[in-house]
Amino acid sequence: MKKGTVYEGIIERVDFPNKGIVHIPEEDKDVIVKNGIPGQKIRFVINKFKKGKAEGRLLEVLEKSPLETREPVCSIFPECGGCMYQTMPYEEQVKMKEGQIRRIMDEAVQGEYVFEGVKSSPKEFGYRNKMEFSFGDEYKDGPLSLGLHKKGSTYDVLTAADCRLVHEDMNRILVCVLEYFKERNVGYYKKMQHVGYLRHLLLRRGDTTGEILVSLVTTTQEEHDLEPLVKELLKLELEGKIVGILHILNDSLADVVKSDETRILYGQDYFYEKLLGLEFKITPFSFFQPNTRGAEVLYETVREYIGDIHDMTVFDLFSGTGTISQVLAPVAKQVVGVEIVEEAVEAAKENAARNGISNCKFIAGDVFQVLDELEEKPDVIVLDPPRDGIHPKALPKILSYGVDRIVYISCKMTSLARDLEMMQIAGYRVEKMTAVDQFCETVHCEVVALMTRGEIEVAI
């Protein structure tokens, strides 16, 4: 098997995150081909070998999968990298994710554990309360576009005027902003040359409140009058209501959405969202679960997994805007949230006060350092780390508390599998696990694991 060789085959299954497995009988080898659907007959070219495994690049779908029984619901599928599985019935997507989790976790977990399946999102479409759209062009030197990157491309951007992952309000705002800058012939920021003006459009919309925050992200290389854009946006007929329009200045060389300076063009720099009867103030960069209705299912699951915490101190590590802390506070003695993003911690404190919760304490800082300074000792720990999991230096500190129960929420199952190794060596056993599909049509899924500390034999 050599680089550049073209093969045809059927995707037998898709492993997390989007690794299609194709068996080549004549070579008696499996090849990983990304961006396919189980059951598709495809043509692909071998383009690299990684850790002894062959990887191929998808050239063409020769035959649709028997699982593809639906028509695409937007105009840029399947080229767009935002979605993978819209042509599969939702039940099949959930079933596929369940298989992916089991294959990874059955290998990572020592001993028996209960897997309780994947809980579906209450909304399949229009569920995302946050979206980062990029400015660019659909092809080299093409007209200005605003939307999502093509699959496998860091440069080509497809205009997502009818994206179904978000509410229609967001699509209307996107079209308005794109047309405004197209008419004025304003260019986008070119990542390689580091020149240009338009970078991103960050939209956040409360699913329960309908409040919308519009953030235009640009460089400082040019100056444009944005007052007419504000007027255009406020004239739009929307189901929700724009409560703030921001101009975020970002001269970072990296292709990330961040702020060197934020100017309020209209209204305020926050919006409100409600979740499980609590109200949360959310700022442009504070973390909040992107699927509000799915987050309610997720947090109800966490509450169920954590069990009776009456008269107990709970550590909520990587606490974001304090959503989990406040969901657990009414049934706990005290909750201590630790989060590295200061803006999120300020929002968490304000949210707790707004919701009349007085037994939550929020600390801004790196978990690794904050744990050394805390006088409190936890009885139970909730972990909701970023995608890459817990830093290997922080995990031993967390485990050294020796609490009886840990609930780990993971948005990347391979990171959880890696962290489980150290946790099991430390004497923790995976009691049960479930998942909540917060990201319909995509490769991602939230996994929740309950770990208990007991007398078990640990293979080291």
Side-chain angles (χ1 to χ4, degrees):
M1 192 173 277
K2 294 177 182 174
K3 275 188 189 179
T5 311
V6 174
Y7 291 96
E8 291 181 7
I10 290 171
I11 299 175
E12 294 182 2
R13 68 172 194 275
V14 174
D15 286 343
F16 178 81
N18 63 343
K19 297 174 179 175
I21 308 299
V22 183
H23 185 70
I24 308 297
E26 58 266 36
E27 306 281 355
D28 195 26
K29 282 188 178 171
D30 287 343
V31 180
I32 295 168
V33 184
K34 293 180 179 177
N35 298 327
I37 289 174
Q40 283 179 336
K41 185 178 180 183
I42 60 170
R43 197 162 64 85
F44 60 94
V45 60
I46 304 295
N47 64 340
K48 60 180 167 181
F49 292 89
K50 205 171 175 182
K51 295 179 183 174
K53 291 184 178 175
E55 293 191 16
R57 181 167 53 83
L58 181 65
L59 297 174
E60 185 185 358
V61 175
L62 301 170
E63 288 176 24
K64 283 170 70 170
S65 163
L67 297 176
E68 291 185 270
T69 57
R70 306 195 300 188
E71 291 302 312
V73 293
C74 81
S75 59
I76 52 176
F77 184 85
E79 289 82 11
C80 175
C83 269
M84 282 293 298
Y85 305 117
Q86 352 174 325
T87 51
M88 284 172 69
Y90 185 48
E91 317 81 68
E92 292 295 340
Q93 294 180 38
V94 171
K95 208 184 292 179
M96 180 181 71
K97 289 182 180 183
E98 190 166 313
Q100 291 173 348
I101 297 165
R102 289 305 298 261
R103 283 193 291 277
I104 289 169
M105 295 306 165
D106 286 357
E107 202 173 301
V109 175
Q110 295 173 13
E112 297 293 313
Y113 74 105
V114 176
F115 183 72
E116 297 184 324
V118 177
K119 298 179 180 183
S120 300
S121 168
K123 290 170 81 172
E124 185 188 351
F125 292 107
Y127 62 84
R128 283 197 67 97
N129 57 41
K130 175 188 176 185
M131 205 64 147
E132 291 175 6
F133 293 113
S134 299
F135 285 95
D137 49 20
E138 294 193 14
Y139 53 88
K140 194 169 166 42
D141 300 324
L144 184 69
S145 59
L146 174 57
L148 299 165
H149 287 274
K150 275 187 186 174
K151 278 192 183 91
S153 171
T154 51
Y155 297 105
D156 300 340
V157 173
L158 299 167
T159 293
D162 58 349
C163 178
R164 290 293 302 277
L165 298 186
V166 298
H167 190 279
E168 179 58 29
D169 283 354
M170 289 200 193
N171 292 327
R172 287 183 182 144
I173 290 167
L174 178 147
V175 171
C176 174
V177 171
L178 177 60
E179 291 305 316
Y180 180 85
F181 288 113
K182 261 186 172 177
E183 283 169 15
R184 286 157 181 79
N185 208 25
V186 179
Y188 70 93
Y189 175 74
K190 294 181 170 62
K191 289 180 281 193
M192 294 296 283
Q193 296 97 321
H194 306 302
V195 292
Y197 180 67
L198 299 167
R199 296 193 75 153
H200 297 95
L201 179 66
L202 170 60
L203 300 179
R204 303 193 75 157
R205 183 188 188 279
D207 190 77
T208 59
T209 62
E211 293 189 356
I212 302 164
L213 197 58
V214 179
S215 300
L216 176 71
V217 186
T218 76
T219 67
T220 59
Q221 294 180 23
E222 300 173 17
E223 279 195 29
H224 294 274
D225 180 12
L226 298 176
E227 193 54 41
L229 174 61
V230 171
K231 287 178 180 167
E232 291 291 319
L233 287 168
L234 294 176
K235 276 196 306 192
L236 289 173
E237 287 187 21
L238 304 173
E239 191 179 307
K241 183 189 177 189
I242 294 174
V243 295
I245 301 172
L246 312 178
H247 181 199
I248 294 173
L249 303 173
N250 173 18
D251 283 321
S252 165
L253 295 182
D255 187 29
V256 290
V257 180
K258 62 184 280 293
S259 171
D260 297 333
E261 182 192 343
T262 298
R263 298 171 182 169
I264 299 176
L265 303 178
Y266 167 81
Q268 61 207 34
D269 62 352
Y270 59 88
F271 71 103
Y272 288 106
E273 177 65 306
K274 289 180 179 168
L275 192 149
L276 293 175
L278 300 170
E279 190 169 61
F280 295 93
K281 177 183 177 181
I282 303 165
T283 52
F285 296 106
S286 56
F287 175 77
F288 193 83
Q289 289 287 351
N291 178 342
T292 303
R293 310 287 180 179
E296 292 189 321
V297 176
L298 179 68
Y299 294 153
E300 281 170 341
T301 303
V302 171
R303 205 152 55 179
E304 175 204 324
Y305 270 35
I306 208 164
D308 183 9
I309 50 174
H310 185 64
D311 287 337
M312 289 187 182
T313 295
V314 180
F315 275 15
D316 176 15
L317 305 182
F318 315 98
S319 55
T321 47
T323 42
I324 293 174
S325 297
Q326 291 172 70
V327 166
L328 298 177
V331 289
K333 181 174 92 176
Q334 182 191 18
V335 182
V336 179
V338 182
E339 168 60 47
I340 199 165
V341 180
E342 286 188 30
E343 185 187 335
V345 172
E346 289 310 308
K349 289 175 181 175
E350 200 175 316
N351 289 332
R354 172 174 287 274
N355 290 314
I357 294 169
S358 56
N359 60 336
C360 274
K361 173 180 171 182
F362 295 103
I363 301 164
D366 190 319
V367 167
F368 178 63
Q369 293 169 327
V370 171
L371 293 184
D372 282 341
E373 299 155 13
L374 276 173
E375 290 176 16
E376 293 94 341
K377 296 285 183 243
D379 300 298
V380 181
I381 293 174
V382 176
L383 302 169
D384 188 7
R387 194 168 291 283
D388 289 333
I390 302 167
H391 194 283
K393 284 186 180 175
L395 192 49
K397 284 193 181 184
I398 294 165
L399 298 174
S400 69
Y401 286 112
V403 299
D404 290 339
R405 276 171 289 164
I406 294 176
V407 176
Y408 190 133
I409 303 155
S410 172
C411 55
K412 187 179 179 184
M413 59 188 86
T414 47
S415 298
L416 170 60
R418 183 205 63 214
D419 290 346
L420 279 179
E421 186 178 356
M422 191 184 292
M423 297 175 93
Q424 289 173 133
I425 287 171
Y428 283 90
R429 180 168 73 88
V430 178
E431 196 82 27
K432 58 182 178 176
M433 194 181 286
T434 188
V436 179
D437 184 19
Q438 292 225 78
F439 308 98
C440 321
E441 323 310 318
T442 81
V443 300
H444 303 292
C445 200
E446 295 268 347
V447 181
V448 186
L450 169 65
M451 277 156 282
T452 55
R453 189 177 173 83
E455 297 301 315
I456 59 169
E457 255 183 63
V458 183
I460 298 178

